[in-house]
Amino acid sequence: MPLGLHFLRLTIFSAAVTLLSACAQEPQEAAPAETPPEVDVATPIKRMITDWDEYTGRFEAVETVEVRARVTGHLKEVRFKDGQFVKQGEVLFVIDKRRFQYELERVQAQLALAEKEYARAEKLSKTNVLAREDFDRRAEELRVARANVNEARLALEFTEVTAPIDGKVSRDFINVGNLVRENETVLTRIVSVDPIHFYFEASQIQLMKYVRMDRSGTRLGSDTTANPIFIKLPDEEEYVHEGRMDFVDNIVDPGTGTIQGRALVPNPGAVIYPGLFGRAKLIGSGEYEALLVPEKAINTDQSRKFVFVVDKDNKAQRAYIETGTRLDDGFFVVKSGLDEDARVVVSGIQRIRMPEQAVTPNFVTL
């Protein structure tokens, strides 16, 4: 190899080594510090509230009547449409009247004869021609004849079966032409619709809570006071049907450990049918001041509930809490585990990934 070319290669190699050494000795710039994530925080709300206890129950008609035949005969006519609303006294069924009309005519004739016999006996008794026992017999025959006429008229009246109450009628349980029997054959059923009853069961623990609140004057008992109750139907989200308590049973069922309560609920338009289930909330406490946090701030760790609070060093900590009633506006009552001046994380919770993580709190108003 020529000497000049070898010298050139050595010179280039030496320059590259010098450049790499200089780069290795040059100081590295420090990476910028990471900014703590921002979260929205707020102090719990203080508000005067009342607790509500929730129950599941069933609606029942205030009045339910099985319409029965009161005389025996063949059904001749049905005068209603299945499922229609009827008024008290409205004719629903007609039983063949002919036999009863004939019977009325027969006993009316007997009455006329008895009246004549009595009038004749009365004249004779005044002249002492007729013995006293014969006069008494004629008077008794007249009373029996009058009773027979009244009974026959009543039987003829019963051939028209009328609605005993206002309400909604079911279908006809027996068709025209069939024999119906007195006090046995059920012709149809009528239920009242407005108002309607709501029945539910309360545990003996809840019963004792109500009794003790009543005795202390915190909340009057529903057995003596028409406490408000709010109910929602299976397809409803809100408790829109307002009623009033009107009955609490006088014994606890030893088999279930529950006691029955009942409310009277207006039912305009007959929207609620007997037999429907409903979810109810009943006033469960006196008024008191409570701490409230929004539902979105509450997290669950297995069976325990907690919220994140930001301490004085702006670090997120878990605060395990006991919750109470959920209010209609989405806030939960906090029974324990939280101070009224705590800075609760209400938004940005997903940015907290570890205990005691530093955060940047942003104060908001609930």
Side-chain angles (χ1 to χ4, degrees), residues 45 63 202 204 249 281:
I45 295 176
E63 295 179 289
Q204 54 190 344
D249 210 345
K281 60 178 186 178

Side-chain angles (χ1 to χ4, degrees), residues 118 121-122 124-126 128-139:
Y118 177 79
E122 190 174 29
L124 293 175
S125 66
K126 291 179 180 179
N128 294 323
V129 174
L130 186 68
R132 183 65 188 180
E133 55 267 20
D134 291 333
F135 175 77
D136 292 342
R137 186 174 65 255
R138 295 288 188 273

Side-chain angles (χ1 to χ4, degrees), residues 119-169:
R120 184 180 301 111
E122 190 174 29
K123 289 180 181 181
L124 293 175
S125 66
K126 291 179 180 179
T127 59
N128 294 323
V129 174
L130 186 68
R132 183 65 188 180
E133 55 267 20
D134 291 333
F135 175 77
D136 292 342
R137 186 174 65 255
R138 295 288 188 273
E140 180 65 21
E141 290 172 351
L142 178 60
R143 286 193 292 269
V144 171
R146 286 173 175 168
N148 289 338
V149 169
N150 290 334
E151 186 177 359
R153 283 175 176 162
L154 190 61
L156 180 60
E157 180 182 333
F158 286 161
T159 59
E160 291 189 347
V161 182
T162 59
I165 61 171
D166 293 349
K168 188 172 185 179
V169 69

Side-chain angles (χ1 to χ4, degrees), residues 298-310:
I298 300 175
N299 303 272
T300 302
D301 180 6
Q302 296 182 350
S303 61
R304 297 189 298 173
K305 293 183 178 181
F306 68 92
V307 294
F308 282 109
V309 297
V310 178

